Amino acid sequence: MPHHSTPMTPAPTTLGGRLRAAPLAAVVLSTLLLTACGAPGGPAGSAAEVSPSASSDPSPTEAGAPTPRLVYTHDAGIAVLDAASLESVGSVEMSGFNRLNPAGDGRHVFVSTGDAFRLFDAGAWTEPHGDHSHHYVTDPKMTGLAFEASKAGHVVLHADKTVLFNDGSGKVESFKTSALPAAVEDGKLPATDTYVTPEAHHGVAVELADGKLLVTLGNEESRSGIAVLSAGKGQDRTEVVRNEDCPGVHGEAVAAGEAVVVGCENGMLIYKDGAITKVASPDAYGRLGNQAGSEKSPVILGDYKVDKAAKPERPTRISLVNTQTATMQLVDIGTSYSFRSLGRGPSGEALVLGTDGSLRVIDPLSGAITSTIPVVAAWEESATWQDPRPTLFVQGSTAFVTEPATSTIHAVDLKAGKVSKSAQLEHVPNELTGVTG
């Protein structure tokens, strides 16, 4: 018998780290610089919050244009860079292994800490004002706001909805992304809708433009597929369609035409226009566990692994799944890569950072490698997935690549096909994301 979710009163809690000033990173101009899933948390609950102290918040400064920023984790916390200059603009001390997820509003980032999705303010944003906009910058900081979680997992952005998935409880919380800035300004989190999956598992959920909710199926022992639920509230949603031909379901991405995909150990599932289609791998075990999508392309870029026992497998083939034709193309790129190597360019180009140190630009329809851009020194993926490794993050027409071996970050101009700027970092970088400002 379905139960109905009831809004709960947020409970205050102390969150976040200490903001400290960080020295400016040295900016190195270079043409080509070639130098050598979450811990168990507390019980699931309502959104917890602490209003930031007004006396400790510096006044924002108005900027002349949007000011994109980059956010990266390191072993002692979170650091923020100006995306144009690559100079440091601040850092926050935070212990433990923390994961980064864009909140979707161009300003905030969720930090998954196991027991919470904690909201981090990257300190750059734009406010519409009549027929024009104002742009502001301030110091980055933890907001003191968080959604309590049991094994905080994936955060998915789509159709002006931000969806949080709790691996330890199966709780799915969604809210209107565009409502986040005003709510935070008032010292609170936006109102959420909560759905709880039948069994807890390492999963993911996507809310579609029409209000339907796609959720993964599984339990602590295994995962089998997806179900799509009707538009509605909480447990009042009813199942529309499901497919359980997807062992080990993992990850998600959205392609053009709102085609939503999840990876399987034997291919991929595509949900589009009310139906679920299976695209089978050519191998009995052909895992597509990590995907990158673009709304400008019908093709999903994925990894492709065939050795279940390997720890880790070092694949050289990537997968390109066309959501219009339900076909899969495998492309051998001539080098191995990691789960942090996949990205998409501004026109939907498939981007893969290889362990040979080069970034490959691939035509997603033909599978042709159109260019190979040297970025970092050759590297080898660690068997421990939490360890730092070169990481790709794309913002507009710039691909940012970290190089942990030298504590460096590189900006790759995708239009020019070369490294445009590099900078030394204060810390060894691990995860990387950004905000548009």
Side-chain angles (χ1 to χ4, degrees):
M1 188 174 189
H3 70 275
H4 297 270
S5 57
T6 303
M8 300 176 67
T9 303
T13 184
T14 302
L15 302 171
R18 301 184 298 278
L19 178 68
R20 60 186 177 84
L24 292 180
V27 179
V28 183
L29 292 177
S30 169
T31 53
L32 288 177
L33 183 59
L34 298 174
T35 55
C37 280
S46 61
E49 58 186 63
V50 169
S51 298
S53 170
S55 61
S56 64
D57 287 346
S59 298
T61 300
E62 186 159 3
T67 310
R69 287 181 167 178
L70 303 175
V71 183
Y72 73 90
T73 61
H74 52 86
D75 61 3
I78 302 170
V80 180
L81 309 174
D82 181 285
S85 67
L86 301 184
E87 293 180 351
S88 174
V89 293
S91 66
V92 168
E93 295 178 359
M94 178 176 283
S95 61
F97 176 73
N98 301 300
R99 306 210 67 186
L100 300 178
N101 311 275
D105 65 344
R107 175 177 179 175
H108 295 95
V109 171
F110 277 112
V111 185
S112 299
T113 60
D115 63 350
F117 294 95
R118 305 184 182 213
L119 195 63
F120 178 77
D121 184 351
W125 68 97
T126 296
E127 294 180 4
H129 187 79
D131 60 352
H132 62 283
S133 298
H134 291 289
H135 314 287
Y136 300 95
V137 293
T138 189
D139 292 338
K141 64 180 183 298
M142 296 302 301
T143 65
L145 302 173
F147 288 95
E148 291 183 359
S150 174
K151 298 181 182 178
H154 285 281
V155 178
V156 174
L157 311 174
H158 179 66
D160 194 31
K161 287 296 178 67
T162 301
V163 183
L164 317 175
F165 195 97
N166 283 247
D167 289 351
S169 65
K171 180 174 67 172
V172 177
E173 292 180 282
S174 64
F175 62 86
K176 193 172 183 178
T177 308
S178 56
L180 182 60
V184 175
E185 187 69 21
D186 291 337
K188 61 185 181 181
L189 291 165
T192 64
D193 178 67
T194 300
Y195 171 81
V196 181
T197 61
E199 296 181 273
H201 62 283
H202 176 55
V204 68
V206 185
E207 186 160 344
L208 305 174
D210 62 4
K212 292 187 178 70
L213 185 69
L214 183 151
V215 295
T216 50
L217 302 170
N219 53 42
E220 293 182 354
E221 303 300 323
S222 64
R223 304 185 301 276
S224 60
I226 59 172
V228 178
L229 311 176
S230 65
K233 297 293 183 181
Q235 303 304 123
D236 289 338
R237 296 177 182 269
T238 58
E239 187 172 303
V240 175
V241 63
R242 72 161 51 197
N243 185 302
E244 294 188 73
D245 183 16
C246 188
V249 58
H250 188 270
E252 57 73 38
V254 181
E258 204 177 36
V260 185
V261 307
V262 297
C264 318
E265 291 178 351
N266 60 2
M268 184 175 280
L269 294 183
I270 303 170
Y271 174 74
K272 183 180 180 182
D273 299 330
I276 301 174
T277 303
K278 174 65 178 284
V279 179
S281 297
D283 300 281
Y285 180 86
R287 183 177 187 266
L288 287 69
N290 299 279
Q291 311 86 27
S294 168
E295 294 185 359
K296 294 186 178 180
S297 171
V299 177
I300 294 292
L301 166 66
D303 56 1
Y304 191 74
K305 296 183 176 181
V306 295
D307 186 353
K308 191 173 185 176
K311 298 185 182 297
E313 182 176 351
R314 305 188 193 280
T316 61
R317 291 184 294 174
I318 53 96
S319 57
L320 297 170
V321 177
N322 191 315
T323 60
Q324 290 180 335
T325 61
T327 56
M328 181 190 303
Q329 179 180 14
L330 300 180
V331 178
D332 195 321
I333 62 171
T335 183
S336 62
Y337 56 91
S338 86
F339 69 98
R340 291 184 181 162
S341 293
L342 308 179
R344 301 304 290 265
S347 299
E349 311 96 311
L351 306 176
V352 184
L353 177 67
T355 56
D356 63 351
S358 293
L359 180 67
R360 284 156 178 80
V361 181
I362 303 169
D363 183 314
L365 289 172
S366 69
I369 298 175
T370 58
S371 63
T372 301
I373 308 169
V375 184
V376 300
W379 53 283
E380 183 175 271
E381 182 182 13
S382 170
T384 303
W385 71 267
Q386 295 95 336
D387 285 347
R389 68 203 64 209
T391 296
L392 171 67
F393 170 71
V394 183
Q395 192 174 73
S397 60
T398 304
F400 296 95
V401 178
T402 58
E403 189 167 14
T406 58
S407 295
T408 308
I409 188 166
H410 309 280
V412 180
D413 184 332
L414 294 172
K415 293 181 179 178
K418 64 180 182 179
V419 174
S420 60
K421 190 184 294 288
S422 299
Q424 191 70 36
L425 301 176
E426 183 182 0
H427 314 277
V428 176
N430 198 332
E431 295 215 342
L432 176 69
T433 189
V435 299
T436 54

